[in-house]
Every structure is written in C-alpha cells, then in structure tokens.
C-alpha cells in the first residue's frame, strides 16, 4: 500500500473491531455489575449512616429535653429548700421569742418572790429590833428609877 | 530431610540440568533460522511473518494476539460475572476486593479528571487499561503460532504492532473528541482539534514503548548464551514494569484530556466578574 511502517488500514479496523467487542463485553460483564454493586453498597452504608445520624439527633433532642426538665426540677427543689429554710427560721425565731418571754417572766417572778421574802425578813427583823429596844429601854428605866424620867421630861419641856 | 538425602537430591538435579543442556546443544535448532537483523526488522515492520486469519486473510501476528487477549479477557469476565459477582458480599473477600479496587481505580481516575462528565470515560479507560495491561503481559506466555512461511514464532503483545497502537491512540482521541462535543458542542471540537498531535503521540508512545520491550526480549532470546537467568529480569520484570507504566500513562492522558475538553465553558461567571 506504500504506507510507511507497513501501516495496514484493514488491520487497524480489525484491531478496532476486536477492541470494541472487548470494551463492550468488559463493560457489560465486569465494569457495570461491579460498579452497580459498589454503588449499592455505598447507598446501603449511606442509608445506615443517615439512620444513625437521625437516631443520634433524636437522642440528643431527648437528652436536651431531659436536661431542661432536670434544670426545672432542680430550680423547683431550690425554691422548696429556700422556702423550707425560711419556715424553719421563722419557727426557730418564734421558739426563741417564746423562750425569751418565758425567761423574763420567770426572772420577774423570782425577783418578786425575792422582794417579798426580803420585805418579810425586814419586817420580822424590825419587829425583833423593836422588841429588843423596848426590852432594853425597860431595863434602863428600871435601873435609873423614876427621877430620871422626871428629869428627862423636865428637860424636854424646857427645850420646847 | 537428612544430609545424605539432600546431597543425593542436589546431585541428581545437577545431573539432570547438565543432561538437558547437552541435549539442547546436541539436537540443535530445527528448520530454517532467521538472522537477528531479519527478526528485528520483522518485529518493527511485520513484512515477512504473516499468520492466516481463519484462511480469510494473512495478518500480522499482533492481530492474533489481540484476538487471543480479547478472548482471554472476555472468558475471564464472563466467568467472574456468572460465578463471582452474584456471590459478592458487603464485606469483600480478597478476590472481590481486587475486582472492586480495579473498577474503583479507573472509575476514580475518570471522576477526578473529568468531574462533569465521566460515564463513558470510566468504561473506556477500564477497557483500555485492561487491554494494555493484559496485552503487554501476554507476550510473557510465549504462545507459539505457525506463520504462512512455515516458521514458528512467539505471539507478541498486540500493541507492539503499529496498527494496534494506532487504533488505540486514535480511538482514545475520538473518545476525547466525543467528550468535547458532549460537553461544549462546537467549542469542544475546537478545543480537541487544538491538540491535533495527540493521536500521533499517543499511538507512537504505545508503539515505541511496547516495541522496545519486544526488541529487547527478541534480542535476549535470539542468543543461546543470553537465554539463561537474564530472561527472568528482562522478560518478566521489564514486561511487568512497562505494562503497568503504559496502562497508567494511556488511561491518565485520556482521562486528563477528556476532562479538559468536556469541562463546561463558564460564561456567567466571567460576566459577573466584569460587571
């Protein structure tokens, strides 16, 4: 044919024919089924991944809800504690006030009793002293005689 | 194994090797023998050794190689489709993993280089990659065929024939062109035609790479003195290496140019920037 390197167009077409059959066969028998399987597996794992992500999102949502609820409950507990503390304090204050009142009353009663006792003792002591003075006076009068009494009375008149 | 038994085994083995070597020299080569110049020339030009294609036409040995490679690949693919793919599991076994890695590699190559349009490209680079790789390794099997002249030759890699390389290079260019048309219409054709040297460079890169491998192998096998130990490195290692390299280069270049020409033209963005 006069073409350099003995290039033969008929043989090129034969090679082409052969290669096209090979390419078609390989595509249908190997490439497409293997690729389809790989795509199917990729889809399968992607679906699994999506489902897992959805579950994770749902779990996170539930966790958030529980956390919110827990925070509410804790706040409620705090308020209840505070209220209970206030009530306890009020009760303690009332008890203290009552105890103080009682203490004051007892002290007053004791003071009154002591005063009464003191007065009673003083009265008794005075009565005793008076008795002793009159007894002593009687004794002196007896010993000094009647003149002494007269002198005394005279002098008292003079002074007036 | 005892020391005595081991010594007996090694002695028998060495004697056997010596006997085979002596027999090889004593028997000599049968029939006609081509000169190294003729072998080299035929490897490049394919003007003397032709093979009859079912009695229809005399073709280069690479056409038979191409048909054999396609047959092997299609039978393998059919077997995999029937026996392996229906038993695929969500957690893959070793063989399933290899298949998925292969398909995934070419699919990703297409997707990363051409994110906008990659359905056809992925299928094409997969087929081309498998063809180049298995076709290059095919010469390792050393399948013998009879030429029309009565000589026995080893089937070469399909792409070490200029016709096979031109076919794959030009087809890759046509695929790139189709991507340009699908992505950008007339502008895509212009973009593709701008790289008019691409089919030639792709074809001759493949041809040159695989032919050089073939020539080195032919040279090594031609001389008896080079036929011991050396083919292990030359035949297997070089063939494996350039099978991998050429597969990667062709598929990568095709995907790269396809992505470039099929990328949609961004008119709106430039207008916005101007305003």
């Amino acid at each position: 044919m006069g073409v350099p390197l003995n290039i033969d167009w008929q043989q090129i077409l034969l090679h082409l024919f052969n290669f096209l059959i090979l390419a078609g066969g390989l595509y249908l028998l190997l490439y497409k089924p293997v690729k389809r399987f790989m795509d199917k597996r990729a889809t399968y794992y992607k679906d699994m991944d999506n489902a897992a992500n959805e579950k994770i999102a749902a779990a996170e949502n539930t966790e958030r809800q529980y956390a919110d609820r827990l925070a509410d409950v804790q706040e409620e507990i705090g308020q209840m504690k505070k209220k209970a503390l206030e009530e306890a304090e009020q009760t303690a204050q009332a008890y203290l006030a009552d105890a103080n009142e009682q203490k004051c009353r007892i002290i007053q009663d004791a003071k009154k009793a002591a005063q009464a006792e003191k007065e009673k003792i003083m009265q008794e002591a005075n009565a005793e002293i008076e008795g002793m003075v009159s007894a002593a006076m009687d004794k002196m009068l007896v010993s000094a005689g009647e003149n002494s009494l007269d002198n005394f009375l005279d002098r008292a008149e003079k002074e007036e | 194994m005892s020391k005595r038994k081991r010594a007996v085994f090694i002695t028998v083995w060495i004697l056997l090797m010596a006997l085979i070597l002596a027999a090889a020299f004593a028997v000599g080569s049968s029939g006609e023998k081509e000169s190294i110049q003729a072998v080299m020339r035929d490897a490049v030009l394919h003007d003397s050794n032709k093979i009859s294609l079912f009695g229809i036409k005399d073709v280069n040995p690479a056409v038979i190689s191409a048909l054999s490679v396609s047959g092997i690949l299609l039978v393998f693919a059919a077997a995999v489709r029937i026996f392996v793919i229906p038993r695929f599991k969500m957690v893959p076994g070793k063989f399933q993993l290899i298949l998925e890695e292969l398909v995934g590699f070419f699919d990703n190559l297409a997707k990363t280089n051409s994110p906008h349009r990659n359905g056809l490209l992925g299928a094409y680079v997969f087929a081309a990659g498998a063809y180049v790789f298995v076709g290059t390794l095919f010469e390792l099997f050393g399948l013998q065929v009879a030429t029309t002249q009565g000589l026995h030759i080893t089937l070469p890699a399909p792409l070490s024939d200029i016709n096979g390389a031109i076919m794959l290079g030009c087809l890759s260019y046509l695929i790139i062109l189709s991507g340009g048309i699908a992505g950008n219409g007339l502008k895509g054709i212009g973009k593709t035609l701008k790289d008019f040297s691409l089919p030639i460079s792709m074809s001759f890169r493949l041809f040159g790479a695989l032919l050089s491998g073939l020539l080195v192998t032919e040279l090594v096998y031609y001389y008896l003195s080079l036929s011991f130990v050396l083919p292990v490195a030359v035949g297997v290692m070089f063939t494996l290496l350039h099978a991998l390299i050429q597969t990667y280069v062709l598929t990568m270049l095709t995907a790269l140019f396809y992505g470039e020409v099929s990328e949609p033209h961004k008119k709106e963005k430039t207008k916005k920037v101007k305003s």
Side-chain angles (χ1 to χ4, degrees), chain A:
Chain A
M1 286 177 79
V3 184
L5 287 168
N6 280 337
I7 294 169
D8 185 344
W9 302 113
Q10 205 177 15
Q11 289 195 40
I12 291 174
L13 289 176
L14 269 175
H15 274 286
L16 183 63
F17 172 72
N18 170 60
F19 180 75
L20 290 180
I21 289 173
L22 174 70
L26 283 182
Y27 176 70
L28 290 173
L29 294 171
L30 213 58
Y31 186 76
K32 198 177 162 187
V34 173
K35 201 166 173 284
R36 197 194 299 137
F37 180 82
M38 285 163 75
D39 290 342
K40 199 174 95 181
R41 184 173 49 199
T43 315
Y44 172 74
Y45 282 117
K46 202 177 172 185
D47 288 348
M48 265 178 81
D49 192 42
N50 287 341
N53 282 339
E54 277 173 16
K55 277 182 185 171
I56 288 169
E60 277 174 354
N61 195 27
T62 313
E63 189 191 2
R64 212 168 23 246
Q65 281 177 351
Y66 275 115
D68 289 349
R69 212 179 286 177
L70 202 67
D72 288 349
V73 169
Q74 273 177 344
E75 201 182 323
E76 210 174 317
I77 289 169
Q79 282 175 351
M80 282 170 78
K81 251 186 194 174
K82 201 178 166 186
K83 201 177 165 186
L85 269 173
E86 278 173 2
E87 278 177 4
E89 207 166 320
Q90 278 175 357
T91 313
Q93 288 292 339
Y95 275 122
L96 270 174
D98 197 25
N100 273 336
E101 204 180 315
Q102 228 171 348
K103 179 187 88 181
C104 289
R105 202 166 51 235
I106 289 166
I107 289 169
Q108 271 180 354
D109 287 350
K111 272 183 181 173
K112 274 182 189 172
Q115 190 68 28
E117 187 74 16
K118 183 184 165 188
E119 279 173 8
K120 189 184 166 188
I121 290 166
M122 285 293 281
Q123 277 175 356
E124 281 176 5
N126 282 338
E128 209 171 317
I129 289 166
E130 274 176 18
M132 282 170 74
V133 168
S134 65
M137 284 291 283
D138 287 341
K139 272 183 185 175
M140 277 173 68
L141 286 175
V142 171
S143 63
E146 287 178 1
N147 288 336
S148 302
L149 183 63
D150 291 333
N151 288 338
F152 177 71
L153 291 172
D154 288 340
R155 240 184 306 174
E157 280 175 2
K158 277 178 187 175
E159 276 178 5
E160 281 178 358

Side-chain angles (χ1 to χ4, degrees), chain B residues 23 52 72 78 115 138 166 180 227 271:
Chain B
S52 174
I72 291 168
F138 180 74
I166 286 175
S227 298
K271 275 182 187 173

Side-chain angles (χ1 to χ4, degrees), chain B residues 171-188:
Chain B
L171 185 63
S172 299
Y173 186 69
L174 286 176
I175 293 288
I176 293 166
L177 185 69
S178 75
I181 295 168
N184 290 312
L186 283 174
K187 207 171 177 66

